[in-house]
Amino acid sequence: MDDTALASTDGDPERYDLGLCLSGGGYRAMLFHAGALCRLNEAGLLAKLDMVSSVSGGSIAAGLLAVLWPRFTFVNGIATNFDIYLDRILEFSQVFLDAPSIFKGLFNPFSSATREVAACYERHLFAGSRPMLKSLPQKPWFVFCSSNLGTGSLFRLSRRYIADYRIGVAYQADLPVATAVAASSAFPPFLSPLRLDLTPFAWKNDKLDPSVGPPVPPRRAVLTDGGVYDNHGIEPALKRCRWLLVSDAGAPWRASKAGYWNWFSQLKRVLDTTDNQVRSLRRRDLVARFQAAKDADDRGLPYDATRPDYAATRGVFWSIASKPDATEPSFVQTAATAPADIGTSLHFLGGAETVDLVNWGYCTADQGLRAWFEPAVAAGKGVPLKAGDVKPGRCAKVSKMVMGVLRV
C-alpha cells in the first residue's frame, strides 16, 4: 500500500501495534533517548516499532535512527550493530551547534540560525549526506513535530506528508530530513523560526481540524520548536497505537525562591509556569489513558469499536525525573549534576554528564518496561557506557568552557 493510501484520513486513523514518542530537551534529550533506544533494542522492541513521533532534541535522536535504519542488521528482533547509532550520537554530542549557528545566522543576510542548524545536521549528524524524507523507511513511520506560529497548530513532517491542522496535507512534499529536524528543534527565540515556503507543494483539505480555527491558505509556515505545542510528541501517535512508549527528557519543574522584582524575569517565569501547566496536564491525561486501557484489558473488554477511545491505548511512560528503582543498582551517577538538572542546550554537556544521560535513559526505560509492558521483556545487559568512555575533543572542551562562563 502506498503512503497516500495509508494516510488518507484522520477521521478513522490507521491502527498500529507499537509506537514510540521522544520528547524535547536539546542534547540532554538526545542522549537520554539514545540510552532508552539501546534498552528497547535489547528488549526486542525496536524492531517492532510501527511509528516514531518526536520533538526537538528527540527529533535529533529520531532523525539519525531513521537515516541509519536500513543499515541495522536484525537477528531475532535485535539490531546486532546498534553501536553504529550510539557511536554517531556520542560523536555528534560534541558538536558546538547553538552559538555558532546563531552568530552565522545573524551575520549572513542570506541565511538564518535555523538554516545553519540544518546544515550542521547534514554535515555532522548525517555524515555529509543529504537524506530526504521520502527516502526514510516505511516502517517504522517517522514523524517530526514542529509548531507553526502562523496557525498555532502542530506541523508534522514525515515521509508520507507534511501537514497542519489548519492548512491541510501535502502528500507528495519532500524535504531534507535535516530541515525537518531543524524545524522540530528550532528552540525560540535564538534558533527560531524556520520559514518554509508552502507554495511549491500540492495541498489537499485533508486532516483539517475545525476546532482550532478556520482553514488557512498554504503560503508560508513559520516554524518553531515542536515542544511549544506538544513537548512529548504524543499527538500524532496516541490515537493510532495499541501500545505507546513515551520517553520524557523534559526539564522538571523547580520551585524558586526569587522575588521577581523586574518585569522581564517575572514575565519569563509566567511563561514557564504556563508551559509547565500544559505539559503537566498532557502528562496526567496520558498516564490516565494508559491506566484506563490497562483496567479495560484486566476486565476483559474487547479491543474493538465498543471500547471507549479513552481506554484504547496501553502504554509505558518513563521520565528523566524518575527516581532510581531500589532493585536496579546499575546506574551510578558520575557527574556532579544529576541528569534531570542538566541544562537544555545544543553544545557539549561534559564527558561524565554524557555518560550519565545515556545510562540513565537506559535505566529508566528498563524500569518502565519491567513494570508496565506486556508481555514481559527480556532482561537487559546493563548500561551501555562506563565512566571515562566519552573522551571530548579540543573543540568540545572549549565549547563547554565558553558556554559555562556564559552560564548557558
Side-chain angles (χ1 to χ4, degrees):
M1 184 179 294
D2 64 28
D3 293 336
T4 303
L6 280 169
S8 61
T9 176
D10 254 1
D12 184 21
E14 65 277 14
R15 299 294 298 181
Y16 299 127
D17 290 328
L18 184 63
L20 172 66
C21 298
L22 302 177
S23 79
Y27 278 7
R28 179 189 65 240
M30 175 187 75
L31 292 164
F32 179 82
H33 298 321
L37 288 168
C38 288
R39 183 64 186 97
L40 293 180
N41 182 49
E42 289 182 1
L45 296 177
L46 187 72
K48 296 179 180 179
L49 290 175
D50 294 298
M51 75 174 296
V52 178
S53 176
S54 60
V55 173
S56 195
S59 286
I60 305 176
L64 181 61
L65 184 70
V67 170
L68 291 183
W69 192 271
R71 294 177 54 186
F72 292 144
T73 302
F74 287 97
V75 178
N76 297 323
I78 298 174
T80 57
N81 61 338
F82 195 70
D83 58 312
I84 65 174
Y85 174 83
L86 184 58
D87 290 346
R88 182 76 66 81
I89 283 286
L90 294 176
E91 180 182 350
F92 183 75
S93 72
Q94 298 194 28
V95 173
F96 194 5
L97 180 59
D98 42 16
S101 297
I102 292 169
F103 285 113
K104 288 179 182 179
L106 283 174
F107 293 108
N108 184 351
F110 303 103
S111 186
S112 67
T114 316
R115 297 294 179 186
E116 293 297 331
V117 168
C120 191
Y121 288 149
E122 290 184 347
R123 190 163 54 248
H124 297 287
L125 187 64
F126 303 140
S129 65
R130 198 169 196 251
M132 305 295 288
L133 288 174
K134 292 295 186 185
S135 71
L136 298 183
Q138 282 192 327
K139 181 182 180 297
W141 175 34
F142 288 88
V143 182
F144 304 97
C145 300
S146 185
S147 305
N148 190 344
L149 294 178
T151 63
S153 296
L154 187 70
F155 196 91
R156 294 96 72 204
L157 305 100
S158 72
R159 170 196 170 102
R160 296 184 187 176
Y161 53 70
I162 62 174
D164 182 292
Y165 291 125
R166 295 186 64 185
I167 297 175
V169 182
Y171 289 107
Q172 303 305 321
D174 197 10
L175 294 167
V177 177
T179 298
V181 176
S184 182
S185 59
F187 193 79
F190 301 111
L191 294 175
S192 169
L194 186 147
R195 295 175 176 86
L196 182 65
D197 183 9
L198 303 180
T199 57
F201 311 125
W203 290 84
K204 293 186 177 181
N205 290 331
D206 292 349
K207 305 182 187 296
L208 294 176
D209 184 355
S211 67
V212 298
V216 175
R219 297 192 180 95
R220 182 181 67 175
V222 182
L223 303 177
T224 191
D225 194 288
V228 172
Y229 186 94
D230 172 14
N231 196 54
H232 295 99
I234 60 176
E235 189 156 309
L238 186 58
K239 294 180 180 179
R240 290 183 165 96
C241 298
R242 176 68 178 101
W243 274 91
L244 191 60
L245 312 176
V246 181
S247 183
D248 179 16
W253 183 248
R254 300 298 186 194
S256 173
K257 297 180 180 179
Y260 300 105
W261 299 105
N262 68 75
W263 292 343
F264 299 106
S265 64
Q266 183 184 154
L267 177 60
K268 182 180 184 303
R269 186 64 173 181
V270 168
L271 294 174
D272 288 344
T273 302
T274 303
D275 177 64
N276 177 69
Q277 177 68 357
V278 172
R279 296 186 189 192
S280 297
L281 288 171
R282 279 187 177 271
R283 187 163 52 245
R284 288 197 293 268
D285 177 73
L286 178 70
V287 173
R289 286 173 179 267
F290 289 169
Q291 185 62 55
K294 182 180 185 303
D295 292 342
D297 285 351
D298 290 344
R299 296 197 306 269
L301 295 182
Y303 186 69
D304 56 24
T306 63
R307 179 181 288 217
D309 288 342
Y310 195 78
T313 301
R314 292 284 300 271
V316 182
F317 175 89
W318 59 84
S319 168
I320 197 171
S322 299
K323 301 299 181 184
D325 190 331
T327 64
E328 179 49 69
S330 60
F331 177 74
V332 177
Q333 182 176 321
T334 60
T337 305
D341 295 329
I342 295 172
T344 303
S345 58
L346 296 175
H347 58 260
F348 182 58
L349 302 174
E353 289 83 353
T354 297
V355 170
D356 283 356
L357 283 166
V358 172
N359 288 345
W360 186 227
Y362 178 98
C363 288
T364 54
D366 177 69
Q367 290 176 197
L369 292 171
R370 285 189 292 106
W372 295 100
F373 192 78
E374 296 177 3
V377 298
K381 299 178 180 178
V383 293
L385 301 178
K386 302 186 298 295
D389 275 355
V390 175
K391 297 177 172 56
R394 184 187 307 170
C395 290
K397 293 178 181 177
V398 170
S399 70
K400 179 171 173 56
M401 180 182 67
V402 170
M403 301 307 278
V405 169
L406 298 175
R407 297 183 182 275
V408 178

